[in-house]
Amino acid sequence: MLLRTRITLIVALGFIVLMLGIWGATVLRDRVWEKREGEVAISGQTVLWREIVAFSTSNLSRILERVDGSAAFRIALGFSDRPGLAAALKDAGVDVGDPETAFEVVGTDHELIFSAGGADHNRSILDANSLDRALKGEVITGLRQVAANRIIVVATRTVVLPNRGAAVVVLGRDAAIGMDRFARGIGASTTLVTVRGRVVASTDMRLWERAKLNIAARRPEAIRIGLDGHDYNVTSIPVADIGGSTIGALVSLIDTTEILQTSSFIRQSAIVGAIAIVLIGVIGLNVFLWYSFRPLEEAIDVLQALARGDTSVTVEHGGSDEIGRIASAVVALRGNVQALAETRRQRERVRRRQGAVISGELKALADSIDPTDREEVLALLANSSRLEQDDELKRIARVLHDLSRRIVEQHTRLSSMVVELREALITKTKLAGLQQELEIARQVQLAILPKEFPPDSRVAVHGQMTPAREVGGDFYDYFMIDERTLGFVVADVSGKGVPAALFMAISRTLLRSTALFERSPAGCIRRLNDLLAVENEQMLFVTVLYGVVNLDTGRVTYVNAGHNLPYRIRRNGEVSTVPSTKGMAVAVMEGFVYAEGAFDLEPGDTLFLYTDGVTEAFDVDENAYGERRLETLLATGASDWSVPELSERVLASVHIFERGAPQADDITCLTLRYFGGKGPRRTL
């Protein structure tokens, strides 16, 4: 980019930054002014509304003063003469037939003595607190909401009636009268709304409905909106009642379209004028710089020709100014460039001769080495031809050093690979034997687990185990203790692999043999704990849930030794956990006394027992399956599934949740469904 172009761009950028700064300051000033204008509008409208309310209450107070001084009113009120009261009130300036006027007289017991006009004949206009204050002689004036969409201006006067004592005379008129005066005063469309957003009165209901404003009645607000091509300043001021609480808001909409259009036209004209001035200045600056830098550009063209190797060009400009000094320097540079070009040509001829000799030697070396490395050496030779030629000996030494290093590394790698190959063959042989032994152990382990339960009309049992490795530490078992008693167990040995599998086999064998003569689950688990804890050098332990069920009555007695709580699934689909007996894991401490738990199964109830491989399964994001997910699955119809299907659905849900993640622990499930009855066992 030319220097004059850069200078022009810098100046133009400076103008743009200046204009943006002025524009930003203008926008900030407009926002500050708009905020200040809104505050002034809120303050002014608040004062105006208070004055209008004060004026209205003052008129009402003067009317009440005339009513109080009317003898005809007192006589008609004493005789409850409604026509006479209406005539007396009309003479005093109260038109009881006007629906916008509300008039009432309330006694000391808060009972209405007389009401007319737009007043509710069933209840007083004032609340109890205001009536008490008025009966004490206090003058109550202000606004009062008497209906969901009606607000009136009220004033009171305390009078003393013959044979009735003190009474409060209340006079009110619709607030819309004062609102019209307010709208004319500020030249705006005005709407009075309650705190619930209901419209009490509006000077332009169609404009209000089109605006669809969301007004917070309890705080003042000033905003600007656009509607149907017009701009409006919206001001909302809270309206308080005689008790000081906010009952609504007075919202005004002032059309500012013409003012804003004029302001926008002035702003746009100023922007266009500023842009025109900037463009004229930038163009003029560029023309001036072009004329000033033209001699310098000619000198630059000559230098560029010399840089391309064209020494035939010269500079004809002379003089003692800056351009002349540049021309003299260019002439001297031309002579130096010619001498340098001749020197480079001579060095190039020498380099080509040396390169031919070196290339021939390296190619001969490449032909003498192992053919598998020939391509690599030839590639190295091709790369060496592009190296710097300043020091040929150094270049040759560098190439030969790199070549020898590659040959030594290749020999080292080959030797290491031979050693690793021998070790891998030995390890592979050992691994094949170990895998075969583990597969046999897996088959033996699965063979000792019960496959299916003899058919019985009172119960159905199904178990399933999936080891995380070749062999696992989980086990399940179920067996008939006698003709009407079934024993069942699910256990989880700490650890994994072969040690856990051996400990599992020992635990299962001891438990089954002990259960045949020790009918109490607590006693059976206690004996098992003592036997395993005596010589437990590996410090292994096992969590066990063992129980027996009476197939005639459905009574289940069980012991939970640190195992996951099983689930009871009732026939109606209700899922609940079986309470824990708070027992310690087996083989931890000798002599531990285990407590029993018991409950009754109803026909159709199901018990689901499992190990922590289900709830502690993890997906690829390291999220656990969890008990909540298992409970949700069981609650989706487990009571209707078959006994084998229940375990299969749980395992399928776990595998879907894992999303291909490796199985973290052994997974074991045992399902028992009780059908009831005392008949003989059925055969298939």
Side-chain angles (χ1 to χ4, degrees):
M1 184 181 295
L2 297 177
L3 178 60
R4 71 166 184 267
T5 304
R6 292 200 297 269
I7 295 175
T8 303
L9 291 177
I10 292 173
V11 173
L13 181 62
F15 277 120
I16 293 173
V17 172
L18 178 62
M19 291 178 63
L20 290 176
I22 295 174
W23 178 77
T26 304
V27 172
L28 182 61
R29 183 202 62 185
D30 291 344
R31 291 182 179 178
V32 173
W33 177 254
E34 182 180 342
K35 181 178 179 181
R36 178 57 181 168
E37 184 181 8
E39 293 175 353
V40 171
I42 291 172
S43 177
Q45 293 183 20
T46 302
V47 172
L48 176 61
W49 175 250
R50 289 176 180 173
E51 291 180 354
I52 290 174
V53 172
F55 177 77
S56 300
T57 55
S58 176
N59 289 338
L60 295 177
S61 297
R62 287 195 295 270
I63 295 173
L64 288 177
E65 185 177 357
R66 292 196 299 271
V67 170
D68 187 20
S70 173
F73 169 75
R74 293 177 176 272
I75 293 172
L77 185 64
F79 287 100
S80 299
D81 182 8
R82 294 189 66 87
L85 282 170
L89 290 173
K90 188 172 183 180
D91 292 339
V94 179
D95 187 3
V96 296
D98 186 2
E100 296 181 351
T101 301
F103 181 84
E104 66 181 19
V105 181
V106 184
T108 55
D109 55 357
H110 292 189
E111 292 294 330
L112 284 172
I113 299 174
F114 174 77
S115 65
D120 191 341
H121 298 279
N122 296 320
R123 60 185 181 88
S124 175
I125 296 173
L126 302 180
D127 58 275
N129 183 40
S130 300
L131 284 173
D132 291 337
R133 291 163 50 199
L135 288 170
K136 293 178 181 179
E138 184 178 348
V139 176
I140 306 298
T141 60
L143 299 176
R144 174 67 175 167
Q145 185 174 357
V146 296
N149 57 351
R150 187 184 183 195
I151 298 176
I152 63 174
V153 182
V154 299
T156 66
R157 186 177 182 86
T158 306
V159 300
V160 179
L161 301 176
N163 300 325
R164 292 180 180 269
V168 177
V169 180
V170 183
L171 178 60
R173 285 185 177 174
D174 202 314
I177 300 175
M179 189 191 69
D180 293 337
R181 185 180 294 111
F182 177 84
R184 291 192 301 271
I186 63 175
S189 170
T190 306
T191 303
L192 180 61
V193 297
T194 65
V195 293
R196 298 184 180 274
R198 296 184 177 180
V199 177
V200 176
S202 177
T203 59
D204 191 345
M205 193 63 187
R206 293 180 60 187
L207 177 61
W208 172 260
E209 291 176 349
R210 293 200 314 272
K212 297 180 180 179
L213 297 174
N214 186 13
I215 298 298
R218 301 185 184 278
R219 67 173 185 271
E221 187 176 6
I223 60 175
R224 180 175 292 170
I225 65 171
L227 183 63
D228 298 337
H230 291 263
D231 294 312
Y232 293 90
N233 283 347
V234 181
T235 306
S236 171
I237 59 173
V239 175
D241 64 357
I242 55 179
S245 60
T246 302
I247 60 174
L250 193 62
V251 185
S252 60
L253 288 86
I254 301 177
D255 191 344
T256 59
T257 304
E258 184 177 354
I259 298 175
L260 291 179
Q261 287 179 348
T262 303
S263 176
S264 176
F265 175 76
I266 295 173
R267 185 182 294 107
Q268 292 175 359
S269 300
I271 293 174
V272 171
I275 293 175
I277 293 174
V278 170
L279 290 177
I280 293 173
V282 170
I283 294 173
L285 176 64
N286 190 56
V287 172
F288 172 76
L289 292 176
W290 174 81
Y291 180 78
S292 300
F293 280 85
R294 186 173 56 180
L296 182 59
E297 289 179 357
E298 294 177 355
I300 292 173
D301 292 338
V302 174
L303 289 175
Q304 289 177 344
L306 291 175
R308 293 192 301 268
D310 185 5
T311 59
S312 62
V313 296
T314 185
V315 179
E316 298 180 356
H317 186 276
S320 59
D321 57 359
E322 290 81 356
I323 303 300
R325 293 166 59 187
I326 291 175
S328 299
V330 169
V331 171
L333 179 62
R334 177 175 175 272
N336 293 332
V337 169
Q338 289 176 338
L340 179 60
E342 182 62 27
T343 302
R344 292 180 63 183
R345 283 193 294 271
Q346 294 179 0
R347 291 185 61 184
E348 181 65 22
R349 288 194 295 270
V350 174
R351 187 197 67 78
R352 283 196 297 269
R353 289 196 298 269
Q354 293 176 346
V357 174
I358 294 172
S359 297
E361 295 296 329
L362 290 178
K363 288 180 180 179
L365 179 61
D367 292 336
S368 64
I369 63 174
D370 192 334
T372 57
D373 297 329
R374 185 174 302 163
E375 295 297 330
E376 185 176 355
V377 174
L378 293 177
L380 178 63
L381 178 61
N383 292 334
S384 66
S385 63
R386 294 192 293 268
L387 298 175
E388 297 179 358
Q389 307 298 325
D390 294 337
D391 192 341
E392 294 298 333
L393 294 177
K394 183 182 295 185
R395 183 178 69 84
I396 294 171
R398 183 164 56 247
V399 173
L400 292 177
H401 174 73
D402 193 9
L403 182 59
S404 63
R405 178 183 60 80
R406 291 175 180 272
I407 295 174
V408 171
E409 289 178 354
Q410 182 179 4
H411 181 269
T412 303
R413 288 197 301 270
L414 290 175
S415 300
S416 177
M417 289 175 61
V418 171
V419 174
E420 291 177 357
L421 181 59
R422 292 174 181 174
E423 295 178 352
L425 290 175
I426 297 172
T427 303
K428 182 178 180 181
T429 303
K430 293 180 180 181
L431 180 60
L434 180 59
Q435 288 179 341
Q436 184 178 4
E437 293 176 359
L438 288 175
E439 179 62 25
I440 295 173
R442 172 186 175 89
Q443 295 175 3
V444 172
Q445 183 184 37
L446 295 177
I448 65 175
L449 298 176
K451 296 298 184 295
E452 59 183 19
F453 188 72
D456 193 296
S457 61
R458 297 168 293 182
V459 69
V461 188
H462 175 77
Q464 188 170 351
M465 185 185 77
T466 305
R469 299 180 181 176
E470 287 78 2
V471 290
D474 289 2
F475 73 90
Y476 67 89
D477 201 358
Y478 48 86
F479 47 87
M480 295 298 299
I481 299 176
D482 54 31
E483 288 296 324
R484 66 174 187 173
T485 306
L486 170 68
F488 59 92
V489 62
V490 170
D492 184 4
V493 178
S494 62
K496 300 179 184 65
V498 176
L502 294 175
F503 200 76
M504 177 274 282
I506 296 172
S507 302
R508 177 186 177 276
T509 303
L510 291 175
L511 174 63
R512 188 160 189 167
S513 60
T514 304
L516 294 177
F517 63 85
E518 180 59 64
R519 298 300 182 90
S520 169
C524 180
I525 297 301
R526 181 176 181 181
R527 286 177 178 271
L528 177 64
N529 178 64
D530 293 340
L531 290 172
L532 293 177
V534 173
E535 297 180 358
N536 188 7
E537 297 180 357
Q538 299 296 327
M539 299 303 291
L540 296 174
F541 61 88
V542 56
T543 63
V544 180
L545 192 144
Y546 170 63
V548 296
V549 55
N550 189 316
L551 300 181
D552 292 336
T553 64
R555 184 69 173 177
V556 178
T557 308
Y558 66 96
V559 170
N560 190 332
H563 198 73
N564 301 80
L565 300 181
Y567 288 98
R568 179 180 181 179
I569 307 168
R570 297 184 182 272
R571 187 173 183 179
N572 59 3
E574 178 184 349
V575 178
S576 61
T577 56
V578 175
S580 174
T581 59
K582 300 180 180 179
M584 182 186 297
V586 174
V588 175
M589 182 179 67
E590 186 178 359
F592 185 81
V593 178
Y594 290 88
E596 289 184 355
F599 60 92
D600 293 320
L601 288 176
E602 299 294 335
D605 287 358
T606 304
L607 283 180
F608 179 72
L609 296 78
Y610 64 97
T611 59
D612 57 7
V614 175
T615 55
E616 295 181 6
F618 293 91
D619 62 5
V620 293
D621 298 325
E622 296 297 328
N623 298 318
Y625 185 82
E627 295 176 356
R628 185 182 300 276
R629 197 182 305 273
L630 177 58
E631 293 174 4
T632 302
L633 175 64
L634 296 178
T636 58
S639 60
D640 298 327
W641 302 337
S642 66
V643 172
E645 183 185 3
L646 198 154
S647 299
E648 293 172 358
R649 289 207 180 200
V650 171
L651 290 177
S653 175
V654 171
H655 292 326
I656 292 173
F657 170 78
E658 289 174 339
R659 291 182 295 162
Q663 184 175 330
D665 198 358
D666 303 333
I667 299 177
T668 301
C669 302
L670 180 65
T671 306
L672 184 149
R673 179 165 295 167
Y674 177 67
F675 297 107
K678 298 183 179 181
R681 296 170 59 183
R682 57 183 172 87
T683 58
L684 295 179

